[in-house]
Amino acid sequence: MQPFTKHVIRIIQAIPYGKVMTYGQIAAEAGSPRAARQVVRVLHSMSKKYDLPWHRVVNSKGEIAIADDESRFLQQMLLEEEGIEFGIQAIVDLSIYRYEYVESEHVDEM
């Protein structure tokens, strides 16, 4: 497994209940700020294997980025169950719910 992929997995696993991170934010924390699409690929291919809280990842506007209606509804439902509220046009207020990952707090994980 590539170091970037490992780091992305560790960051996603660290997102706590009731918080979200953006694809770009995760990519930047993993050392590659322009690799948001790589984060999408990691989520798509490794969420089940690593039991990732995939539903806690949204786009930079706080929107659910999944195109499929059923999956988008599931993600919103899971986030609402964690107390995350959606504003107008189903947007998460990132100023309230964004998680700020701190590397030093998670060095020994994975």
Side-chain angles (χ1 to χ4, degrees):
M1 183 182 310
Q2 296 294 320
F4 175 79
T5 302
K6 245 183 174 175
H7 206 167
V8 166
I9 290 170
R10 184 169 53 239
I11 292 166
I12 295 168
Q13 288 173 329
I15 304 171
Y17 184 93
K19 293 290 183 178
V20 297
M21 287 183 80
T22 69
Y23 299 100
Q25 180 188 7
I26 293 166
E29 289 293 340
S32 193
R34 305 181 105 198
R37 288 182 185 213
Q38 299 306 106
V39 174
V40 173
R41 287 189 190 105
V42 169
L43 278 168
H44 180 72
S45 63
M46 299 185 175
S47 284
K48 195 169 189 174
K49 180 176 181 179
Y50 291 95
D51 196 27
L52 299 178
W54 61 271
H55 62 285
R56 296 181 186 147
V57 183
V58 296
N59 72 17
S60 63
K61 297 174 187 173
E63 301 167 328
I64 293 174
I66 299 171
D68 173 65
D69 286 340
E70 189 175 332
S71 298
R72 186 176 43 243
F73 177 77
L74 174 61
Q75 184 173 3
Q76 183 169 342
M77 184 185 72
L78 291 169
L79 290 172
E80 287 174 338
E81 285 177 359
E82 292 186 12
I84 294 175
E85 296 178 2
F86 284 78
I88 298 171
Q89 298 178 348
I91 295 176
V92 172
D93 186 341
L94 294 176
S95 69
I96 297 172
Y97 297 107
R98 180 193 314 254
Y99 174 62
E100 296 299 331
Y101 179 83
V102 180
E103 177 68 26
S104 61
E105 295 175 4
H106 304 282
V107 215
D108 295 331
E109 294 178 6
M110 209 168 145

